[in-house]
Amino acid sequence: MTEALFSGTAPRLWLRVEQDADKPFYARVPAGLADGYVVNANLIEHSPASVGAFLDQFERPFIVDPMSYRFERVAWHTRERDGEVENKRNYRRLWEKYANGVDGLSGDPLVDRGTRRIVSEQAALRFCANVIEFQDRRLRSAWIDDGAQYVGMDRLFGYSLAPSAYVAPYVVVGEEDDPVRDIDRLVMFATATASLGRPPVVAILPILGGVLEDIACMRRLASGIALSGASSVLVWPVGQSAFALADSPSLFTGLTVLLRGLREGGLETGMLYGGFFSTLLRGFGSLGFSHGLMYGESRGLDPAAGRPSTRFYFPPLHESLPYTIASQLIAGMSGQEYLDRVCGCELCQALVAEGSLAEYFMTYVPDGAKRPFPTSAALDLNRMHYLFARGRELDFARLRPESQLIADLLRAVDEFPPAATRVVRSWAGRLNSA
């Protein structure tokens, strides 16, 4: 088994770089927080030299998510202009690179609507070769052409900007009427990518809830990927929150059957769009997890609309709580009590020293809005708090076996009101009975 993503003491964390605005936050946290980065291919196509400069600065391993599922969904890759729907330029350029020379594909995302037109083995091989070529070359070519404007020339040829593994294109299991066809297509892409001879290969497995509950499908998926030649897997329970995964016996069983099957097949496995509760799945085979900046612990298939929510990451309960609930839980605590019972990260220590945590909870109501939104300053503070708190959680989790972590969860249940602890209670209960 290769150790492409999760070598070292579990759990490992790979932070996701989804937009240019994420990078300044990642640049301000301790370098050891991220074991690596997952970078969106559409972001690389949008600003390759800037992404290259970021990766070159920190010299952490990275992989490129090809984001192939998004081309199945028009809302991701189009915009409306003057009453007409047109492709976004970065998505159009990305798809043109993926579709180049592939039988059945025109190169226009609006015409092709994803990978369903790929029906032959030869077409699948060419498509996967194009996807891997993008991951291997796009950053380096931009770095050579444009990197000098970001850093001095002495660094230009230092870091290779080569991914630590190649990610196979993928489809979402459960989008077709027959999920077996989705499983077979996903396995086909993983097999074709591995056959190109550029290991190690990572397979991303996005699974809708109804299929995740199907044990036969989970076993078929695990065995197919185990035989594909991929060495690492990122499991994505699409649209499922941490609470849903623990609260539903069928979802939890399906997930653990899949994880165990992948482990038995010799695959290194982690959770995509997972949070702290992913660390509790080590006993089933999950060695790490990946998420974005504060909003990335659960993800559906469609773009999120609207303004950011007013939520504060509450470390004892390992989830983001609405401002109203979080502020009620800490009301009446002295500064030292807060640092001891809730969070003692660098940012919280600084705010307590200044005399107030109110800056976390500042809001405003825009014209025409019906609810408050975080101010820009409060949103930035909450993002940094989330990252600092996550680093402390990882250090904590790496020093304790799962049994001790469950005991810690149960203590949090006793310490805070029931209305705030339903996720913790669900996970503690589910793991005690697993």
Side-chain angles (χ1 to χ4, degrees), residues 37-165:
Y37 294 102
V38 180
V39 189
N40 283 19
N42 54 294
L43 175 63
I44 290 176
E45 185 56 38
H46 173 68
S47 51
S50 176
V51 173
F54 170 81
L55 294 171
D56 180 82
Q57 178 183 359
F58 294 100
E59 297 192 1
R60 307 298 291 176
F62 73 92
I63 59 174
V64 178
D65 186 335
M67 309 304 290
S68 52
Y69 81 95
R70 287 190 175 178
F71 291 99
E72 318 275 343
R73 312 181 77 79
V74 172
W76 277 113
H77 62 82
T78 61
R79 62 184 174 188
E80 186 174 327
R81 174 176 288 181
D82 299 327
E84 297 291 330
V85 174
E86 64 179 19
N87 288 300
K88 297 176 182 176
R89 284 177 293 180
N90 60 326
Y91 277 102
R92 169 124 196 181
R93 292 195 304 265
L94 182 62
W95 185 251
E96 286 173 347
K97 291 179 173 68
Y98 287 177
N100 182 38
V102 178
D103 185 39
L105 297 181
S106 69
D108 184 341
L110 268 173
V111 173
D112 295 335
R113 301 293 179 95
T115 62
R116 303 294 175 186
R117 296 186 178 193
I118 298 175
V119 294
S120 70
E121 181 180 338
Q122 191 62 36
L125 281 167
R126 179 58 187 265
F127 183 78
C128 292
N130 291 343
V131 170
I132 296 307
E133 184 75 5
F134 176 88
Q135 296 175 40
D136 193 43
R137 302 279 183 177
R138 186 67 179 98
L139 280 173
R140 284 189 281 179
S141 62
W143 194 228
I144 292 171
D145 292 340
D146 303 319
Q149 65 180 298
Y150 294 97
V151 296
M153 289 296 293
D154 60 320
R155 294 286 294 129
L156 196 55
F157 296 100
Y159 186 46
S160 67
L161 286 179
S164 60

Side-chain angles (χ1 to χ4, degrees), residues 381-399:
L381 282 173
N382 275 279
R383 286 168 170 165
M384 288 306 304
H385 164 70
Y386 171 78
L387 292 175
F388 281 128
R390 178 51 37 87
R392 291 167 61 87
E393 286 178 327
L394 285 170
D395 290 340
F396 182 83
R398 288 167 182 162
L399 295 174

